[in-house]
Amino acid sequence: MRAVVQNDKSRALRRVSRAPRATAVLAVAVAALAAGCAQGDDQGVRGAAGQQAPPARAVDGAAKAREARAALVAAAQRWDLKRVPLAAPAPPAKKPEIKAREGFEVDGQESDGLPPVFTTVPTKEKIVFLTIDDGAEKDPAFLRMMSELKIPYTVFLTDEEIKDDYGYFKKMQARGVTLNNHTLSHPYLPALSYAEQKREICGMQDVMEKRYGKRPVLFRPPYGNYDGDTLRAAKSCGIKYAPIWSEEVYVDHWEYREWDQDLHPGDIVLTHFRGTDDWDGTMTDMVRRFLDRITADGYAVARLEDYL
């Protein structure tokens, strides 16, 4: 009996002796948990009082956005822009209906489902679309500038101007630029027969497919001149749209189609692949003038194909 009592006392003593150690372990665990909550992630990000720290993905996304913005600011400085270009809004979930501009229709425009000729895309957003024609000048600095500034643009190519360096436009295509049809030899199309016009347009479709793997659905008639045969030939070659332009930008001035001599939401802007042989400046000088103007007016450059 004495032994049993002695064993009960021993158990009691052991329980008492364990209690401080258990309390100490719990205190350490609580402290460690508290410290972990206070530290957040390894970037030192802490949640506000009563809030959880942001998820790692949100933190990474914010960091990437800051890096992208810093890179754009640096690019704007490097290319000597007056302001950082504005970002275009997201493309519309429902694309606008594109019709031939009033006064730009041909006989059978709607009944024959001919490609519409238009100068502006219907939108209320302060955006414009940059389009570049022919392909005569092949300036590597232009490719770098547009890539670094993240400026979208659409090109309309003429085989006679690009055949000396198809690879230049292959690099452009690899950067996400859409390459489109501007005929084989840049003729005044209304002076040609239907068969001759079809050869110019469909022939360029063949070149584009062979060199760049795709037959375009956009076609721009040289000089912006066309007739009913032009659009019928274009349709037979797989063309769906025939955009022309509202404004044209050069290295030293702008030209306007409208009487108010101003930009409008959705305007298509034309320029050409030209350099110092034709201009008092370079392609990058032209882009600088273009971006400085539209940014000052609160416009961004959007991708034309996203609206068609």
Side-chain angles (χ1 to χ4, degrees):
M1 194 62 167
R2 184 179 299 160
V4 172
V5 172
Q6 187 175 12
N7 286 341
D8 287 343
K9 288 180 179 179
S10 298
R11 291 193 194 99
L13 289 170
R14 285 197 294 273
R15 283 197 297 270
V16 172
S17 63
R18 286 195 193 105
R21 288 199 297 274
T23 303
V25 170
L26 180 60
V28 170
V30 171
L33 181 60
C37 291
Q39 289 173 357
D41 59 24
D42 59 0
Q43 300 298 318
V45 177
R46 295 177 174 83
Q51 297 179 347
Q52 293 181 343
R57 288 182 182 176
V59 174
D60 290 345
K64 289 180 180 178
R66 288 194 297 270
E67 290 175 2
R69 178 64 182 177
L72 187 59
V73 170
Q77 293 174 342
R78 185 161 52 252
W79 293 104
D80 199 27
L81 300 184
K82 294 178 180 178
R83 297 176 176 86
V84 177
L86 299 174
K94 182 180 180 181
K95 295 185 179 183
E97 182 181 8
I98 304 296
K99 292 185 176 182
R101 175 172 169 157
E102 186 176 355
F104 287 57
E105 309 97 331
V106 298
D107 290 341
Q109 180 74 58
E110 293 192 8
S111 60
D112 295 342
L114 301 180
V117 176
F118 56 103
T119 62
T120 301
V121 171
T123 181
K124 294 181 180 179
E125 301 283 359
K126 291 193 73 172
I127 55 172
V128 294
F129 305 97
L130 179 63
T131 62
I132 313 177
D133 280 7
D134 65 46
E137 179 72 10
K138 303 166 185 68
D139 184 353
F142 168 78
L143 292 181
R144 294 196 304 272
M145 182 182 196
M146 301 301 271
S147 294
E148 291 176 10
L149 292 171
K150 311 297 183 187
I151 303 299
Y153 58 103
T154 298
V155 303
F156 294 87
L157 301 177
T158 297
D159 191 47
E160 281 193 358
E161 301 290 0
I162 68 171
K163 63 186 179 182
D164 62 331
D165 190 358
Y166 289 119
Y168 177 83
F169 300 96
K170 190 71 173 178
K171 294 175 184 176
M172 191 176 289
Q173 184 184 42
R175 288 165 164 82
V177 177
T178 303
L179 310 181
N180 296 293
N181 189 325
H182 199 42
T183 71
L184 288 171
S185 63
H186 206 276
Y188 176 74
L189 289 173
L192 305 181
S193 68
Y194 173 82
E196 290 170 329
Q197 293 197 53
K198 185 174 180 178
R199 177 186 173 278
E200 281 285 339
I201 301 169
C202 288
M204 190 58 189
Q205 292 287 82
D206 294 340
V207 170
M208 299 298 286
E209 184 174 31
K210 178 180 178 181
R211 297 294 177 177
Y212 305 112
K214 191 173 182 179
R215 298 177 76 83
V217 296
L218 272 64
F219 159 71
R220 174 171 284 163
Y223 315 106
N225 294 126
Y226 60 94
D227 59 13
D229 281 348
T230 308
L231 300 184
R232 288 182 175 82
K235 180 183 178 181
S236 75
C237 302
I239 297 299
K240 295 182 179 179
Y241 301 98
I244 50 176
W245 60 90
S246 286
E247 294 88 23
E248 183 170 1
V249 61
Y250 296 82
V251 74
D252 57 355
H253 71 282
W254 285 64
E255 293 181 0
Y256 303 85
R257 186 181 296 275
E258 307 302 335
W259 65 270
D260 61 357
Q261 304 284 286
D262 203 0
L263 294 172
H264 313 90
D267 276 358
I268 298 170
V269 180
L270 163 69
T271 192
H272 289 81
F273 288 97
R274 294 289 184 271
T276 53
D277 288 345
D278 300 284
W279 286 345
D280 187 20
T282 64
M283 288 289 291
T284 58
D285 293 330
M286 178 277 299
V287 172
R288 184 180 304 109
R289 180 185 183 90
F290 166 73
L291 291 176
D292 282 345
R293 164 68 197 283
I294 68 164
T295 305
D297 286 355
Y299 283 83
V301 186
R303 184 174 179 269
L304 179 59
E305 294 79 5
D306 289 339
Y307 288 74
L308 303 180

